[in-house]
Structures are given as structure tokens and as C-alpha cells.
């Protein structure tokens, strides 16, 4: 008897989800716990594993459709029950481009190669995170799986020439096979600009000790003049940003910080830190620890408004804003104030890894009390971020760059960064906000905490 595949409930407050992509087609074999489809909720995006092994018999809910939790979205039959033609998937409402009808049907890889590449198809190493300083170099400019990159290498194809139809412009196996089978005369010229490559001006001006990060696209690749619907996550982001501006009286304060001492510590310790802890020593843990230390002196920054009351939270649940190809998400380091430097660094890397592979749970993105965002990863000097409700403040970290400054009546070159605090003036006075940010500045400029 076929097994129903249902829309899971990703948390007590989640009542519906949107299927953003099916990773299998009717007739495909699936293993138990193998990623089957991707969903987007108002809290988190995730890959949903198959509840059983067998053959995907039918897709009942097409991509782009939002349904209630526990809705049957497909069925999986045991291999012996899967005889006959699989049921066709429902077609999305939007019509496919007319040119797609003239393209040749995708050709499956040769049987001799199928076994060798079967495992590669499941791994996607290409999602790029806008995360801590220095993390960007792990990403790639073209979103694709190892299988796609292997097919491209074997056929001498530049992936920059291939238009991805997957989530966030990801190049799928069908995309590369279709491109390979296209006559050479119909392929884009090798010199054509890469649709995935960012403009040179988007690169950070200075990232000490790191390579320039790759820049992810924020939306699926669009054709000029095309009208595309917002994703479920983008609609929820829009709703929350407008809500926050209507709720909080936003005020912004910017401080310039000399990172000479912090950069020296990082340069001296980063090799041994990685060997001892198995974690890369990035800049973000320094900013996190400095903010936590400052919150100890000004707990109002870690509060939230509840009606006519102020809730002073016992723990610092530190949100780290992460920009993925398909939207923005804020994973939370719970009880960050109870962690030492190594603990915070490990927590950041864990969140990055799980965000990249869509393994964040709803609990991972709830309960934050203060947020840090890092627009500097793309070269922004500073930004004025919008407060993440129901919090009352958010800290923006700008790009780190060498600038000429005056030290002891002489001009010196120092690695500098702008820190921008957005705070809710309903409950936080300007003097308190400036004292809080000034404390962060002193902690960073006089860094004394061991990083081991």
C-alpha cells in the first residue's frame, strides 16, 4: 500500500508551508530519509526527508503551492507496487516559456556512470552565506551540485553559460543535460557575461586575511520585463520589516572602531585555533563577545516590550542574521552569555553549516533577544538595520578596511570598522545606546579575552 507524504509541522506556531521544489520526479527511486522536497514556512526553509524507501508514485501538490500542515503532498509506493507508468505531477499555474517546448528531452547519464555519481547528486555544496567576516570564500559563484559540476567538466561546459532553473538560480541536473544536448550554434558565446557573477563593485574593499567572498543572488534569475511572484519567505520578510518600522521608533547611532588589537590576535591564533577546536577563527565571535559583555552593563538592550511592560531577559539569545540565496534568516545562539569565546565560535559555525544545508529547526530561529547583522561582508561601510521584533536593538557590522587615522598626533594606517546600532527610542534613550556601543568599542580596541 502506498505511503502518504505529508506537509510536516515545523513547530507549534507553524500551520502551513509552501513547497518550493521537488527534488524527485514521479518514478524516481528514493531511500528512507533521503531529501524529497524543499519547503518554506514563515520561520525556516528546510529539506524534507522521505518517510520510507520506494518509488515516488505521485506528486499531489506542485511546486509553489502553499498547503496546511498534514496535507498529503505525494505518495511513495514500494518497488514491487510501483509497476506501470507513474502519475504525472500537477502543473504549476504559471505557464512555461514557449521556448522550453522545443528543447530536447533531458538525457540520463550513461549506466556505467550512474553508480559512480549517484552519491554526488545528493550533496549540494554551493549555497553561499553572507555570514561572519571571512566566511564568504567557502561559497561558489555558480550554485550547482557536485554531479552538475562533474557533467560540466566532462563536457567542457562553462557553468556561467548555463541558466539555472532551480531554487535561487541553482543549476540542476536537467539544466546541464539540456544545455549539453543543445546544438553548439544555439549556446551562448563563451565570452558572454556570467549571469551568476556579481559586479566587481560589489566586492568588499578590504577583508583582512581573507579572500573576497562570492556574492549570492537574492532571487531566482529573472528576465528583464518578467513579473515573478514573491516567495513565501520574501513575503514574510516584507511583512515583518513593515511591521517593525510601524512598531518601533527607530534611531541609529554609528561608532568607528580600531581593530588593530583584534586583528593581531586573530592573525596570531587562527592557525592553532583551527587545529585545537576544529573551528575557523572568523571575526564574528569577537563582535559577539563584545556585545555580550556590553549587555551585562546595559540589560535594557536585551529586553523586549510586552504591552506596557518591559521584559528583561535572563539570557542573551544572540541572533545572527544570515542572507541565503532565497532570503534572510536569523538563527539564534541560545544562552550565548554562558559560553566562552570558543563556544560562541563553534555555535556560529554550527548555525552556518546547518543553514547552508537547510537543517535548521524552528527552535533554531526563535527566541532571540538581540541581533547582529553583517552587511560589511559585501563591502558596505555601515547600514541602519531594521529591528528584529520583538527585540529593541540590532547591531550592524560594516566592512573592515584600512584607513588613515590620527594616533598620538601622527597619521597611522589602521584596520577600522563602523558599528551601527539601531535601537527602539520608546524604551532606550540615546545616551544609553551610545554608552552601550561605546562599551563594545572599548572591548574590541582593548581586547584581552583569551580565544582558547
Amino acid at each position: 500500500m502506498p505511503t502518504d507524504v505529508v506537509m510536516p509541522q515545523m513547530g507549534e506556531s507553524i500551520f502551513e508551508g509552501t513547497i518550493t521544489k521537488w527534488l524527485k520526479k514521479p518514478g524516481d527511486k528514493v531511500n528512507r530519509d533521503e531529501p524529497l522536497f524543499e519547503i518554506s514556512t514563515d520561520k525556516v526553509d528546510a529539506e524534507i526527508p522521505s518517510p520510507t524507501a520506494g518509488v515516488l508514485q505521485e506528486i499531489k501538490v506542485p511546486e509553489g503551492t502553499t498547503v496546511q500542515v498534514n496535507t498529503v503532498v505525494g505518495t511513495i509506493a514500494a518497488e514491487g507496487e510501483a509497476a506501470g507508468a507513474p502519475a504525472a505531477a500537477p502543473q504549476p499555474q504559471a505557464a512555461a516559456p514557449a521556448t522550453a517546448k522545443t528543447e530536447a528531452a533531458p538525457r540520463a547519464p550513461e549506466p556505467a556512470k550512474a553508480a559512480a555519481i549517484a552519491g554526488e547528486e545528493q550533496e549540494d555544496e554551493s549555497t553561499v552565506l553572507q555570514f561572519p567576516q571571512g566566511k564568504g570564500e567557502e561559497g561558489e559563484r555558480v550554485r550547482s551540485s557536485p554531479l552538475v559540476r562533474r557533467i560540466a567538466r566532462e563536457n567542457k561546459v562553462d557553468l556561467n553559460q548555463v541558466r539555472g532553473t532551480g531554487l535561487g538560480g541553482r543549476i540542476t541536473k536537467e539544466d546541464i543535460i539540456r544545455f549539453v544536448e543543445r546544438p553548439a550554434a544555439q549556446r551562448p558565446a563563451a565570452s558572454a557575461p556570467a549571469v551568476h557573477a556579481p559586479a566587481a563593485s560589489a566586492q568588499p574593499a578590504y577583508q583582512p586575511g581573507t579572500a573576497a567572498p562570492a556574492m549570492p543572488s537574492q532571487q531566482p534569475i529573472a528576465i528583464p520585463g518578467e513579473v515573478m511572484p514573491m516567495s513565501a519567505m520574501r513575503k514574510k520578510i516584507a511583512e515583518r520589516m513593515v511591521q517593525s518600522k510601524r512598531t518601533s521608533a527607530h534611531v541609529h547611532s554609528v561608532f568607528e572602531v580600531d581593530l588593530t588589537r583584534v586583528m593581531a590576535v586573530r592573525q596570531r591564533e587562527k592557525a592553532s585555533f583551527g587545529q585545537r577546536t576544529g573551528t575557523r577563527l572568523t571575526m564574528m565571535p569577537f563582535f559577539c563577545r563584545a556585545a555580550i559583555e556590553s549587555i551585562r552593563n546595559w540589560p535594557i538592550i536585551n529586553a523586549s516590550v510586552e504591552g506596557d511592560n518591559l521584559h528583561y531577559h535572563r539570557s542573551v539569545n544572540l541572533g545572527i542574521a544570515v542572507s541565503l540565496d532565497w532570503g534572510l534568516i536569523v538563527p539564534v545562539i541560545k544562552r550565548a552569555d554562558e559560553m566562552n569565546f570558543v563556544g560562541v565560535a563553534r555555535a556560529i559555525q554550527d548555525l552556518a553549516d546547518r543553514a547552508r544545508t537547510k537543517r535548521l529547526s524552528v527552535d533554531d530561529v526563535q527566541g532571540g533577544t538581540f541581533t547582529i547583522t553583517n552587511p560589511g561582508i559585501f563591502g558596505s561601510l555601515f547600514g541602519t538595520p531594521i529591528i528584529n521584533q520583538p527585540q529593541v536593538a540590532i547591531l550592524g557590522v560594516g566592512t573592515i578596511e584600512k584607513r588613515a587615522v590620527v594616533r598620538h598626533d601622527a597619521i597611522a594606517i589602521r584596520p577600522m570598522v563602523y558599528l551601527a546600532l539601531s535601537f527602539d527610542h520608546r524604551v532606550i534613550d540615546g545616551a544609553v545606546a551610545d554608552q552601550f556601543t561605546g562599551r563594545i568599542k572599548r572591548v574590541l580596541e582593548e581586547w584581552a579575552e583569551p580565544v582558547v
Side-chain angles (χ1 to χ4, degrees):
M1 182 175 180
T3 300
D4 288 339
V5 180
V6 301
M7 174 64 70
Q9 184 164 14
M10 300 296 289
E12 292 182 0
S13 61
I14 306 297
F15 302 103
E16 65 181 17
T18 301
I19 295 181
T20 55
K21 185 174 182 63
W22 280 95
L23 304 176
K24 296 290 184 179
K25 300 187 296 295
D28 286 352
K29 292 182 179 180
V30 293
N31 297 319
R32 181 181 176 85
D33 296 327
E34 180 181 1
L36 185 60
F37 60 99
E38 296 177 349
I39 68 168
S40 177
T41 72
D42 63 353
K43 295 292 185 182
V44 68
D45 282 12
E47 287 184 345
I48 304 304
S50 172
T52 187
V55 175
L56 181 58
Q57 184 180 54
E58 181 181 7
I59 292 177
K60 294 180 178 290
V61 177
E63 295 176 359
T65 304
T66 301
V67 295
Q68 299 293 313
V69 298
N70 297 323
T71 298
V72 177
V73 299
T75 57
I76 295 176
E79 290 196 39
E81 301 173 347
Q91 295 300 316
Q93 295 297 320
T99 55
K101 298 179 181 179
T102 63
E103 294 178 346
R107 179 180 59 199
E110 297 177 13
K113 298 179 181 178
I117 63 180
E120 293 180 19
E121 188 174 1
Q122 305 309 320
E123 182 184 3
D124 185 354
E125 305 170 330
S126 55
T127 300
V128 183
L129 296 183
Q130 301 170 22
F131 212 69
Q133 302 277 2
K135 286 293 284 185
E137 66 269 23
E138 294 181 357
E140 297 184 86
R141 295 180 186 276
V142 180
R143 300 191 69 236
S144 58
S145 68
L147 170 62
V148 168
R149 294 193 288 274
R150 177 170 177 173
I151 295 174
R153 285 195 304 269
E154 291 174 350
N155 291 275
K156 296 181 173 58
V157 171
D158 181 358
L159 286 177
N160 286 321
Q161 299 175 327
V162 183
R163 183 185 178 192
T165 61
L167 188 64
R170 179 175 180 265
I171 298 175
T172 66
K173 180 178 68 174
E174 290 75 15
D175 294 331
I176 185 64
I177 292 176
R178 188 181 302 117
F179 184 89
V180 168
E181 293 185 339
R182 186 183 304 174
Q186 298 181 15
R187 298 182 186 180
S191 59
V195 294
H196 295 277
S201 61
Q203 295 288 349
Y206 173 68
Q207 291 291 340
T210 65
M215 305 298 169
S217 59
Q218 286 295 319
Q219 297 290 341
I221 299 171
I223 300 172
E226 184 179 18
V227 177
M228 300 181 66
M230 285 187 180
S231 67
M233 177 178 280
R234 176 54 52 192
K235 287 188 286 186
K236 184 56 64 174
I237 290 171
E239 176 185 322
R240 288 180 175 176
M241 294 301 97
V242 173
Q243 175 200 11
S244 182
K245 293 293 284 187
R246 289 174 175 169
T247 300
S248 297
H250 281 68
V251 179
H252 313 283
S253 181
V254 179
F255 275 64
E256 188 176 32
V257 181
D258 186 338
L259 293 179
T260 299
R261 183 168 294 191
V262 166
M263 295 303 298
V265 171
R266 180 175 181 267
Q267 185 64 30
R268 184 179 68 246
E269 300 289 345
K270 64 179 182 180
S272 59
F273 185 89
Q275 294 173 354
R276 292 193 305 270
T277 67
T279 303
R280 295 178 63 250
L281 181 56
T282 66
M283 290 299 297
M284 187 58 78
F286 292 94
F287 296 116
C288 292
R289 289 292 301 158
I292 292 168
E293 177 62 27
S294 188
I295 285 174
R296 298 185 198 278
N297 294 281
W298 287 275
I300 184 65
I301 302 294
N302 195 53
S304 60
V305 179
E306 297 180 357
D308 293 330
N309 301 316
L310 281 175
H311 183 179
Y312 288 82
H313 299 286
R314 294 180 180 274
S315 299
V316 179
N317 293 336
L318 192 61
I320 307 292
V322 180
S323 181
L324 303 171
D325 284 7
W326 51 91
L328 182 73
I329 196 167
V330 185
V332 178
I333 303 174
K334 300 296 176 61
R335 295 181 293 278
D337 53 318
E338 300 176 11
M339 300 178 181
N340 60 12
F341 186 95
V342 174
V344 170
R346 283 175 170 163
I348 290 173
Q349 180 167 302
D350 174 61
L351 290 175
D353 292 341
R354 290 193 286 124
R356 181 186 298 115
T357 55
K358 294 189 175 182
R359 291 184 291 113
L360 291 173
S361 68
V362 173
D363 184 63
D364 289 328
V365 295
Q366 290 182 335
T369 58
F370 180 76
T371 297
I372 298 179
T373 183
N374 185 15
I377 194 69
F378 289 142
S380 172
L381 288 178
F382 64 87
T384 53
I386 297 176
I387 297 168
N388 187 19
Q389 296 295 325
Q391 299 168 27
V392 295
I394 180 172
L395 183 70
V397 179
T399 191
I400 303 170
E401 64 176 7
K402 289 182 178 179
R403 290 197 285 271
V405 296
V406 177
R407 294 290 183 268
H408 309 294
D409 293 330
I411 295 177
I413 305 298
R414 294 286 189 267
M416 307 296 292
V417 67
Y418 289 112
L419 300 182
L421 182 74
S422 298
F423 60 96
D424 189 343
H425 211 346
R426 295 179 304 166
V427 296
I428 300 175
D429 293 330
V432 172
D434 288 343
Q435 290 171 335
F436 168 78
T437 315
R439 174 61 177 168
I440 295 177
K441 173 183 171 76
R442 288 193 299 275
V443 171
L444 292 170
E445 292 185 341
E446 302 170 6
W447 187 266
E449 180 181 357
V451 299
V452 293

